[in-house]
Amino acid sequence: TCALPIYHQFWQILTETGGELRDALKPVRPQIDAVLTRSGQRIRAILKPWQVQRFDGFMRDAESRWQKAMGDPEPAPAPAEQP
């Protein structure tokens, strides 16, 4: 049997897998970020003015979670505002 309790093994596997996934995504990360930026701009364009602020808050939270999951040391620049 393994010396570590099963829950330690579980979290160790998840941590290692997260690192492997980050490494695997590195080559395509610019394309993923571009797709996410374009989709945010498209959604923002169809929202009513009173909905934009709430959507922007949602996007900031989602981007923060994405950056944390990807191990980014600092936030990516905010998408350009659309007139």
Side-chain angles (χ1 to χ4, degrees):
T1 68
C2 187
L4 291 174
I6 192 166
Y7 61 89
H8 286 293
Q9 295 175 54
F10 176 85
W11 287 110
Q12 182 177 8
I13 292 167
L14 287 182
T15 299
E16 291 169 1
T17 301
E20 290 175 25
L21 287 171
R22 280 189 294 279
D23 290 345
L25 284 170
K26 281 181 186 178
V28 294
R29 177 72 188 274
Q31 291 103 327
I32 292 170
D33 290 341
V35 168
L36 293 172
T37 297
R38 279 194 310 273
S39 68
Q41 291 169 342
R42 291 177 61 202
I43 291 170
R44 192 176 286 103
I46 64 170
L47 295 175
K48 297 187 183 319
W50 61 270
Q51 295 172 311
V52 173
Q53 184 177 5
R54 184 170 182 190
F55 176 73
D56 287 345
F58 166 81
M59 290 302 293
R60 277 191 299 276
D61 292 344
E63 289 168 2
S64 175
R65 287 190 305 273
W66 171 246
Q67 291 164 0
K68 184 177 179 182
M70 294 305 296
D72 289 353
E74 57 187 62
E81 291 293 320
Q82 295 296 313

Coordinates of all heavy atoms in Angstrom, one line a residue:
T1 N 0.8 -1.2 0.0 CA 0.0 0.0 0.0 C 0.9 1.2 0.0 O 2.0 1.2 0.4 CB -1.0 0.1 1.2 OG1 -0.2 0.2 2.4 CG2 -1.8 -1.2 1.3
C2 N 0.3 2.3 -0.4 CA 1.0 3.6 -0.5 C 1.0 4.3 0.9 O 0.0 4.1 1.7 CB 0.3 4.6 -1.5 SG 1.2 6.1 -1.7
A3 N 2.0 5.0 1.3 CA 2.1 5.6 2.6 C 1.2 6.8 2.8 O 0.8 7.1 3.9 CB 3.6 6.0 2.8
L4 N 0.8 7.4 1.7 CA 0.0 8.6 1.8 C -1.5 8.2 1.8 O -1.9 7.3 1.1 CB 0.1 9.5 0.6 CG 1.5 10.3 0.5 CD1 1.5 11.0 -0.9 CD2 1.6 11.2 1.6
P5 N -2.3 8.9 2.7 CA -3.8 8.6 2.7 C -4.3 8.9 1.3 O -3.8 9.7 0.5 CB -4.3 9.6 3.7 CG -3.1 10.0 4.6 CD -1.9 9.9 3.7
I6 N -5.5 8.2 1.0 CA -6.1 8.4 -0.3 C -6.4 9.8 -0.7 O -6.2 10.2 -1.8 CB -7.3 7.4 -0.5 CG1 -7.7 7.3 -1.9 CG2 -8.4 7.9 0.4 CD1 -8.7 6.2 -2.2
Y7 N -6.8 10.6 0.2 CA -7.2 12.0 -0.1 C -5.9 12.8 -0.5 O -6.0 13.7 -1.3 CB -8.0 12.7 1.0 CG -7.3 12.8 2.3 CD1 -6.6 13.9 2.6 CD2 -7.6 11.9 3.3 CE1 -6.0 14.1 3.9 CE2 -7.0 12.0 4.5 CZ -6.2 13.1 4.8 OH -5.6 13.2 6.0
H8 N -4.8 12.5 0.1 CA -3.5 13.1 -0.3 C -3.2 12.7 -1.7 O -2.7 13.5 -2.6 CB -2.4 12.8 0.6 CG -2.5 13.5 1.9 ND1 -2.4 14.9 2.1 CD2 -2.7 13.0 3.2 CE1 -2.5 15.2 3.3 NE2 -2.7 14.1 4.1
Q9 N -3.3 11.4 -2.0 CA -3.0 10.9 -3.4 C -4.0 11.6 -4.4 O -3.5 11.9 -5.5 CB -3.2 9.4 -3.4 CG -2.2 8.6 -2.5 CD -2.5 7.2 -2.5 OE1 -2.6 6.6 -3.6 NE2 -2.7 6.6 -1.3
F10 N -5.2 11.7 -4.0 CA -6.2 12.3 -4.9 C -5.8 13.7 -5.3 O -5.7 14.1 -6.4 CB -7.6 12.3 -4.2 CG -8.7 13.0 -4.9 CD1 -9.4 12.4 -5.8 CD2 -9.0 14.4 -4.6 CE1 -10.4 13.0 -6.5 CE2 -10.0 15.0 -5.2 CZ -10.7 14.3 -6.2
W11 N -5.5 14.6 -4.3 CA -5.1 15.9 -4.5 C -3.7 16.0 -5.3 O -3.5 16.9 -6.1 CB -5.1 16.8 -3.3 CG -6.5 17.0 -2.8 CD1 -7.1 16.5 -1.7 CD2 -7.5 17.8 -3.5 NE1 -8.4 16.9 -1.7 CE2 -8.7 17.7 -2.7 CE3 -7.5 18.6 -4.6 CZ2 -9.8 18.4 -3.1 CZ3 -8.6 19.2 -5.0 CH2 -9.8 19.1 -4.3
Q12 N -2.8 15.1 -5.0 CA -1.6 15.1 -5.7 C -1.8 14.8 -7.2 O -1.2 15.5 -8.0 CB -0.6 14.0 -5.1 CG 0.7 14.0 -5.7 CD 1.6 13.0 -5.0 OE1 1.2 12.2 -4.2 NE2 2.9 13.0 -5.4
I13 N -2.7 13.9 -7.5 CA -3.0 13.6 -8.9 C -3.6 14.8 -9.6 O -3.2 15.1 -10.7 CB -3.9 12.3 -9.0 CG1 -3.1 11.1 -8.5 CG2 -4.4 12.2 -10.4 CD1 -4.0 9.9 -8.3
L14 N -4.6 15.4 -8.9 CA -5.2 16.6 -9.5 C -4.2 17.7 -9.7 O -4.2 18.4 -10.8 CB -6.4 17.1 -8.6 CG -7.6 16.2 -8.6 CD1 -8.7 16.9 -7.7 CD2 -8.2 16.0 -10.0
T15 N -3.3 17.9 -8.8 CA -2.3 19.0 -8.9 C -1.4 18.7 -10.1 O -1.1 19.6 -10.9 CB -1.5 19.2 -7.6 OG1 -2.4 19.5 -6.6 CG2 -0.4 20.2 -7.7
E16 N -0.9 17.5 -10.2 CA 0.0 17.1 -11.3 C -0.8 17.2 -12.6 O -0.2 17.7 -13.6 CB 0.5 15.7 -11.1 CG 1.4 15.6 -9.9 CD 1.7 14.1 -9.5 OE1 1.2 13.2 -10.2 OE2 2.5 13.9 -8.6
T17 N -2.0 16.8 -12.7 CA -2.8 16.9 -13.9 C -3.0 18.3 -14.3 O -2.9 18.7 -15.5 CB -4.2 16.2 -13.7 OG1 -3.9 14.8 -13.4 CG2 -5.0 16.3 -15.0
G18 N -3.2 19.2 -13.3 CA -3.4 20.6 -13.7 C -2.1 21.2 -14.3 O -2.2 22.0 -15.3
G19 N -1.0 20.8 -13.8 CA 0.3 21.3 -14.4 C 0.4 20.8 -15.8 O 0.9 21.5 -16.7
E20 N 0.1 19.5 -16.0 CA 0.2 18.9 -17.3 C -0.7 19.6 -18.3 O -0.4 19.9 -19.5 CB -0.1 17.4 -17.3 CG 1.0 16.6 -16.6 CD 0.6 15.2 -16.4 OE1 -0.2 14.6 -17.2 OE2 1.1 14.5 -15.5
L21 N -1.9 19.9 -17.9 CA -2.9 20.6 -18.7 C -2.4 22.0 -19.1 O -2.5 22.4 -20.2 CB -4.3 20.7 -18.1 CG -5.0 19.3 -18.0 CD1 -6.3 19.5 -17.2 CD2 -5.4 18.9 -19.4
R22 N -1.9 22.7 -18.1 CA -1.3 24.1 -18.4 C -0.2 24.0 -19.4 O -0.2 24.8 -20.4 CB -0.8 24.7 -17.1 CG -1.9 25.3 -16.3 CD -1.3 26.1 -15.1 NE -0.6 25.3 -14.1 CZ -1.2 24.7 -13.2 NH1 -2.5 24.7 -13.0 NH2 -0.5 24.0 -12.3
D23 N 0.7 23.0 -19.3 CA 1.7 22.9 -20.3 C 1.2 22.5 -21.7 O 1.7 23.0 -22.7 CB 2.7 21.8 -19.8 CG 3.5 22.2 -18.6 OD1 3.6 23.4 -18.3 OD2 4.1 21.3 -17.9
A24 N 0.2 21.7 -21.7 CA -0.4 21.3 -23.0 C -1.1 22.4 -23.7 O -1.1 22.5 -24.9 CB -1.3 20.1 -22.8
L25 N -1.6 23.3 -22.9 CA -2.4 24.5 -23.5 C -1.5 25.6 -23.9 O -1.9 26.5 -24.7 CB -3.4 25.0 -22.5 CG -4.7 24.1 -22.3 CD1 -5.5 24.6 -21.1 CD2 -5.5 24.2 -23.6
K26 N -0.2 25.7 -23.4 CA 0.6 26.8 -23.7 C 0.7 27.1 -25.2 O 0.6 28.3 -25.6 CB 2.0 26.6 -23.2 CG 2.1 26.9 -21.7 CD 3.5 26.7 -21.2 CE 3.5 26.8 -19.6 NZ 4.9 26.6 -19.1
P27 N 0.9 26.2 -26.1 CA 1.0 26.5 -27.5 C -0.2 27.1 -28.1 O -0.1 27.9 -29.1 CB 1.3 25.2 -28.2 CG 1.8 24.3 -27.1 CD 1.1 24.7 -25.9
V28 N -1.4 26.8 -27.6 CA -2.6 27.3 -28.2 C -3.3 28.4 -27.4 O -4.3 28.9 -27.7 CB -3.7 26.1 -28.5 CG1 -3.1 25.2 -29.5 CG2 -4.0 25.4 -27.2
R29 N -2.6 28.8 -26.3 CA -3.2 29.8 -25.4 C -3.5 31.1 -26.1 O -4.6 31.6 -25.9 CB -2.2 30.0 -24.2 CG -2.7 31.0 -23.2 CD -3.9 30.6 -22.4 NE -4.3 31.7 -21.6 CZ -3.9 32.0 -20.4 NH1 -2.9 31.3 -19.8 NH2 -4.3 33.1 -19.8
P30 N -2.7 31.6 -27.0 CA -3.0 32.8 -27.7 C -4.3 32.7 -28.5 O -5.1 33.6 -28.5 CB -1.8 33.1 -28.6 CG -0.7 32.4 -27.9 CD -1.3 31.2 -27.3
Q31 N -4.5 31.6 -29.1 CA -5.8 31.4 -29.9 C -7.0 31.3 -29.0 O -8.0 31.9 -29.3 CB -5.7 30.1 -30.8 CG -4.7 30.2 -31.9 CD -3.5 29.5 -31.6 OE1 -3.0 29.4 -30.5 NE2 -2.9 28.9 -32.7
I32 N -6.8 30.6 -27.8 CA -7.9 30.5 -26.9 C -8.3 31.9 -26.3 O -9.5 32.3 -26.3 CB -7.5 29.6 -25.7 CG1 -7.4 28.1 -26.2 CG2 -8.6 29.6 -24.6 CD1 -6.8 27.2 -25.2
D33 N -7.3 32.7 -26.0 CA -7.5 34.0 -25.5 C -8.2 34.9 -26.5 O -9.1 35.7 -26.2 CB -6.2 34.7 -25.0 CG -5.7 34.0 -23.7 OD1 -6.4 33.4 -23.0 OD2 -4.5 34.2 -23.4
A34 N -7.8 34.8 -27.8 CA -8.4 35.5 -28.8 C -9.9 35.2 -29.0 O -10.7 36.0 -29.2 CB -7.6 35.4 -30.2
V35 N -10.2 33.9 -29.0 CA -11.6 33.4 -29.1 C -12.4 34.0 -28.0 O -13.5 34.5 -28.2 CB -11.6 31.9 -29.2 CG1 -13.1 31.4 -29.0 CG2 -11.0 31.4 -30.5
L36 N -11.9 33.9 -26.7 CA -12.6 34.4 -25.6 C -12.9 35.9 -25.7 O -13.9 36.4 -25.3 CB -11.9 34.0 -24.3 CG -11.8 32.5 -24.0 CD1 -10.9 32.3 -22.8 CD2 -13.2 32.0 -23.7
T37 N -11.9 36.6 -26.1 CA -12.0 38.1 -26.3 C -13.1 38.4 -27.3 O -13.9 39.2 -27.1 CB -10.6 38.7 -26.7 OG1 -9.7 38.5 -25.6 CG2 -10.8 40.2 -26.9
R38 N -13.0 37.7 -28.5 CA -14.0 38.0 -29.5 C -15.4 37.7 -29.1 O -16.4 38.4 -29.3 CB -13.7 37.2 -30.8 CG -12.6 37.8 -31.6 CD -12.5 37.2 -33.0 NE -12.5 35.7 -33.0 CZ -11.4 35.0 -33.0 NH1 -10.2 35.6 -32.8 NH2 -11.4 33.7 -33.0
S39 N -15.6 36.6 -28.4 CA -16.9 36.2 -27.9 C -17.4 37.2 -26.9 O -18.6 37.6 -26.9 CB -16.9 34.8 -27.3 OG -16.2 34.7 -26.1
G40 N -16.6 37.7 -26.0 CA -17.0 38.7 -25.1 C -17.4 40.0 -25.8 O -18.4 40.6 -25.4
Q41 N -16.7 40.4 -26.8 CA -17.0 41.6 -27.6 C -18.3 41.4 -28.3 O -19.2 42.3 -28.4 CB -15.9 41.9 -28.6 CG -14.6 42.4 -27.9 CD -13.5 42.4 -28.9 OE1 -13.5 41.8 -30.0 NE2 -12.4 43.2 -28.5
R42 N -18.6 40.2 -28.9 CA -19.8 39.9 -29.6 C -21.0 40.0 -28.6 O -22.1 40.5 -28.9 CB -19.8 38.6 -30.3 CG -18.8 38.5 -31.4 CD -18.7 37.2 -32.0 NE -20.0 36.7 -32.5 CZ -20.3 35.5 -32.7 NH1 -19.5 34.5 -32.5 NH2 -21.5 35.2 -33.2
I43 N -20.8 39.4 -27.4 CA -21.9 39.4 -26.4 C -22.2 40.8 -26.0 O -23.3 41.3 -25.9 CB -21.6 38.5 -25.3 CG1 -21.7 37.0 -25.7 CG2 -22.6 38.7 -24.1 CD1 -21.1 36.0 -24.7
R44 N -21.1 41.6 -25.7 CA -21.2 43.0 -25.2 C -22.0 43.8 -26.3 O -22.8 44.7 -25.9 CB -19.9 43.6 -25.0 CG -19.9 44.9 -24.2 CD -18.5 45.4 -23.9 NE -17.9 44.6 -22.8 CZ -16.9 43.6 -23.0 NH1 -16.5 43.4 -24.2 NH2 -16.4 43.0 -22.0
A45 N -21.8 43.5 -27.5 CA -22.4 44.3 -28.6 C -24.0 44.1 -28.7 O -24.7 44.9 -29.1 CB -21.8 43.9 -30.0
I46 N -24.5 43.0 -28.2 CA -25.9 42.7 -28.2 C -26.6 43.1 -26.9 O -27.9 43.0 -26.9 CB -26.2 41.2 -28.6 CG1 -25.7 40.3 -27.5 CG2 -25.7 40.9 -30.0 CD1 -26.2 38.8 -27.7
L47 N -25.9 43.4 -25.9 CA -26.5 43.7 -24.6 C -27.1 45.1 -24.6 O -26.6 46.0 -25.3 CB -25.4 43.6 -23.5 CG -24.9 42.2 -23.2 CD1 -23.8 42.3 -22.2 CD2 -25.9 41.3 -22.8
K48 N -28.1 45.3 -23.8 CA -28.6 46.6 -23.5 C -27.6 47.4 -22.6 O -26.9 46.7 -21.8 CB -30.0 46.5 -22.9 CG -31.0 45.8 -23.8 CD -32.4 45.8 -23.2 CE -33.4 45.1 -24.0 NZ -33.3 45.2 -25.4
P49 N -27.6 48.7 -22.7 CA -26.6 49.4 -21.8 C -26.7 49.1 -20.4 O -25.6 49.0 -19.7 CB -27.1 50.9 -22.1 CG -27.7 50.9 -23.4 CD -28.4 49.6 -23.5
W50 N -27.8 48.8 -19.8 CA -27.9 48.5 -18.4 C -27.3 47.1 -18.1 O -27.1 46.8 -16.9 CB -29.3 48.7 -17.9 CG -30.3 47.8 -18.5 CD1 -31.1 48.1 -19.6 CD2 -30.7 46.5 -18.1 NE1 -31.9 47.0 -20.0 CE2 -31.7 46.0 -19.0 CE3 -30.3 45.6 -17.1 CZ2 -32.3 44.8 -18.9 CZ3 -30.9 44.4 -17.0 CH2 -31.9 44.0 -17.9
Q51 N -27.2 46.3 -19.1 CA -26.6 44.9 -18.9 C -25.1 44.8 -19.0 O -24.5 43.9 -18.4 CB -27.2 44.0 -19.9 CG -28.7 43.8 -19.8 CD -29.3 43.0 -21.0 OE1 -29.0 43.3 -22.1 NE2 -30.1 42.0 -20.7
V52 N -24.5 45.8 -19.6 CA -23.1 45.8 -19.9 C -22.2 45.7 -18.6 O -21.3 44.9 -18.5 CB -22.6 46.9 -20.8 CG1 -21.1 47.0 -20.9 CG2 -23.3 46.8 -22.1
Q53 N -22.6 46.5 -17.6 CA -21.8 46.6 -16.4 C -21.8 45.2 -15.7 O -20.8 44.8 -15.2 CB -22.3 47.7 -15.4 CG -21.5 47.8 -14.2 CD -22.0 49.0 -13.3 OE1 -23.0 49.6 -13.6 NE2 -21.2 49.2 -12.2
R54 N -23.0 44.6 -15.6 CA -23.0 43.3 -15.0 C -22.2 42.3 -15.7 O -21.5 41.4 -15.2 CB -24.5 42.9 -14.8 CG -24.7 41.6 -14.1 CD -26.1 41.3 -13.7 NE -26.2 40.1 -13.0 CZ -27.3 39.5 -12.7 NH1 -28.4 40.0 -13.1 NH2 -27.3 38.3 -12.0
F55 N -22.4 42.3 -17.1 CA -21.6 41.4 -17.9 C -20.1 41.6 -17.7 O -19.3 40.6 -17.6 CB -22.0 41.6 -19.4 CG -21.2 40.7 -20.3 CD1 -21.4 39.3 -20.4 CD2 -20.2 41.2 -21.1 CE1 -20.6 38.5 -21.2 CE2 -19.4 40.4 -21.9 CZ -19.7 39.1 -22.0
D56 N -19.7 42.8 -17.7 CA -18.2 43.1 -17.5 C -17.7 42.6 -16.2 O -16.6 42.0 -16.1 CB -18.0 44.6 -17.6 CG -18.0 45.1 -19.1 OD1 -18.0 44.3 -20.0 OD2 -18.1 46.4 -19.2
G57 N -18.5 42.7 -15.1 CA -18.2 42.1 -13.8 C -18.1 40.6 -13.9 O -17.1 40.0 -13.4
F58 N -19.0 40.0 -14.6 CA -19.0 38.5 -14.8 C -17.7 38.1 -15.5 O -17.0 37.2 -15.1 CB -20.2 38.1 -15.6 CG -20.1 36.7 -16.1 CD1 -20.4 35.6 -15.3 CD2 -19.8 36.5 -17.4 CE1 -20.3 34.3 -15.8 CE2 -19.7 35.2 -17.9 CZ -20.0 34.1 -17.1
M59 N -17.4 38.9 -16.6 CA -16.2 38.6 -17.4 C -14.9 38.8 -16.6 O -14.0 38.0 -16.7 CB -16.1 39.4 -18.7 CG -17.2 39.0 -19.7 SD -17.1 37.3 -20.2 CE -15.5 37.3 -21.1
R60 N -14.8 39.8 -15.7 CA -13.6 40.0 -14.9 C -13.4 38.8 -14.0 O -12.3 38.3 -13.8 CB -13.8 41.3 -14.1 CG -13.3 42.6 -14.8 CD -13.2 43.8 -13.9 NE -14.5 44.1 -13.3 CZ -15.5 44.8 -13.8 NH1 -15.3 45.3 -15.0 NH2 -16.6 45.1 -13.1
D61 N -14.5 38.4 -13.3 CA -14.5 37.2 -12.4 C -14.0 36.0 -13.2 O -13.2 35.2 -12.7 CB -15.8 37.0 -11.8 CG -16.2 38.1 -10.8 OD1 -15.3 38.9 -10.4 OD2 -17.4 38.1 -10.4
A62 N -14.6 35.7 -14.4 CA -14.3 34.6 -15.2 C -12.8 34.6 -15.6 O -12.1 33.6 -15.6 CB -15.2 34.5 -16.4
E63 N -12.4 35.8 -16.1 CA -11.0 35.9 -16.5 C -10.0 35.7 -15.3 O -8.9 35.1 -15.5 CB -10.7 37.3 -17.1 CG -11.4 37.5 -18.5 CD -11.4 38.9 -19.0 OE1 -10.9 39.8 -18.3 OE2 -12.0 39.1 -20.1
S64 N -10.4 36.2 -14.2 CA -9.5 36.0 -13.0 C -9.4 34.5 -12.6 O -8.3 34.0 -12.4 CB -10.1 36.7 -11.8 OG -9.4 36.5 -10.6
R65 N -10.5 33.8 -12.7 CA -10.5 32.3 -12.4 C -9.7 31.6 -13.5 O -8.9 30.7 -13.2 CB -11.9 31.7 -12.4 CG -12.7 32.1 -11.1 CD -14.0 31.4 -11.0 NE -14.8 31.5 -12.2 CZ -15.7 32.5 -12.3 NH1 -15.9 33.4 -11.4 NH2 -16.5 32.5 -13.4
W66 N -9.8 32.0 -14.8 CA -9.1 31.4 -15.9 C -7.6 31.6 -15.7 O -6.8 30.7 -15.8 CB -9.6 32.0 -17.2 CG -8.8 31.6 -18.4 CD1 -8.0 32.5 -19.2 CD2 -8.6 30.4 -19.1 NE1 -7.5 31.9 -20.2 CE2 -7.8 30.5 -20.2 CE3 -9.1 29.1 -18.8 CZ2 -7.5 29.5 -21.0 CZ3 -8.8 28.1 -19.7 CH2 -8.0 28.3 -20.8
Q67 N -7.2 32.9 -15.4 CA -5.8 33.2 -15.2 C -5.2 32.4 -14.0 O -4.1 31.9 -14.0 CB -5.6 34.7 -15.0 CG -5.9 35.5 -16.2 CD -6.1 36.9 -16.0 OE1 -6.0 37.4 -14.8 NE2 -6.3 37.7 -17.0
K68 N -6.0 32.3 -12.9 CA -5.5 31.5 -11.8 C -5.3 30.1 -12.1 O -4.3 29.5 -11.8 CB -6.5 31.7 -10.6 CG -6.0 31.0 -9.3 CD -7.0 31.3 -8.2 CE -6.5 30.6 -6.9 NZ -7.5 30.7 -5.9
A69 N -6.3 29.5 -12.9 CA -6.2 28.1 -13.3 C -5.0 27.9 -14.2 O -4.4 26.8 -14.1 CB -7.5 27.7 -14.0
M70 N -4.7 28.9 -15.0 CA -3.6 28.8 -15.9 C -2.2 29.1 -15.3 O -1.2 29.0 -15.9 CB -3.8 29.6 -17.2 CG -5.0 29.2 -18.0 SD -4.9 27.4 -18.5 CE -3.4 27.5 -19.6
G71 N -2.3 29.6 -14.1 CA -1.0 29.9 -13.4 C -0.4 31.2 -13.8 O 0.8 31.4 -13.7
D72 N -1.2 32.2 -14.4 CA -0.7 33.5 -14.8 C -0.3 34.3 -13.6 O -1.1 34.4 -12.7 CB -1.8 34.2 -15.6 CG -2.1 33.6 -16.9 OD1 -1.4 32.7 -17.4 OD2 -3.1 34.1 -17.6
P73 N 0.9 34.9 -13.7 CA 1.3 35.7 -12.6 C 0.6 37.1 -12.5 O 0.5 37.6 -11.4 CB 2.8 36.0 -12.9 CG 2.9 35.8 -14.4 CD 1.8 34.8 -14.8
E74 N 0.1 37.6 -13.6 CA -0.6 38.9 -13.6 C -1.7 38.8 -14.6 O -1.7 38.0 -15.6 CB 0.3 40.0 -13.9 CG 1.0 39.9 -15.2 CD 2.1 41.0 -15.3 OE1 3.0 41.1 -14.5 OE2 1.9 41.8 -16.2
P75 N -2.8 39.6 -14.4 CA -3.9 39.6 -15.3 C -3.5 40.0 -16.7 O -2.6 40.8 -17.0 CB -4.9 40.6 -14.7 CG -4.3 41.0 -13.4 CD -2.9 40.6 -13.4
A76 N -4.2 39.4 -17.7 CA -4.1 39.8 -19.1 C -4.8 41.2 -19.3 O -5.6 41.6 -18.5 CB -4.7 38.8 -20.0
P77 N -4.4 41.9 -20.3 CA -5.0 43.2 -20.5 C -6.5 43.1 -20.8 O -6.9 42.1 -21.4 CB -4.3 43.8 -21.7 CG -3.5 42.7 -22.3 CD -3.4 41.6 -21.3
A78 N -7.3 44.0 -20.3 CA -8.7 44.0 -20.6 C -9.0 44.2 -22.0 O -8.3 44.9 -22.7 CB -9.4 45.1 -19.8
P79 N -10.1 43.5 -22.5 CA -10.4 43.7 -23.9 C -10.8 45.1 -24.2 O -11.3 45.8 -23.4 CB -11.6 42.7 -24.2 CG -12.1 42.4 -22.8 CD -11.0 42.6 -21.8
A80 N -10.5 45.5 -25.5 CA -10.8 46.9 -25.9 C -12.3 47.1 -25.8 O -13.1 46.3 -26.2 CB -10.3 47.2 -27.3
E81 N -12.7 48.3 -25.4 CA -14.1 48.7 -25.3 C -14.6 48.9 -26.7 O -14.0 49.5 -27.6 CB -14.3 49.9 -24.5 CG -14.1 49.8 -23.0 CD -15.1 48.9 -22.4 OE1 -16.3 49.0 -22.7 OE2 -14.7 48.1 -21.5
Q82 N -15.8 48.4 -27.0 CA -16.5 48.6 -28.3 C -17.4 49.8 -28.2 O -18.1 50.0 -27.2 CB -17.3 47.4 -28.7 CG -16.4 46.2 -28.9 CD -15.5 46.3 -30.1 OE1 -15.9 46.7 -31.1 NE2 -14.2 46.0 -29.9
P83 N -17.4 50.7 -29.2 CA -18.3 51.9 -29.2 C -19.7 51.5 -29.3 O -20.1 50.5 -29.7 CB -17.9 52.7 -30.4 CG -16.9 51.9 -31.2 CD -16.5 50.7 -30.4

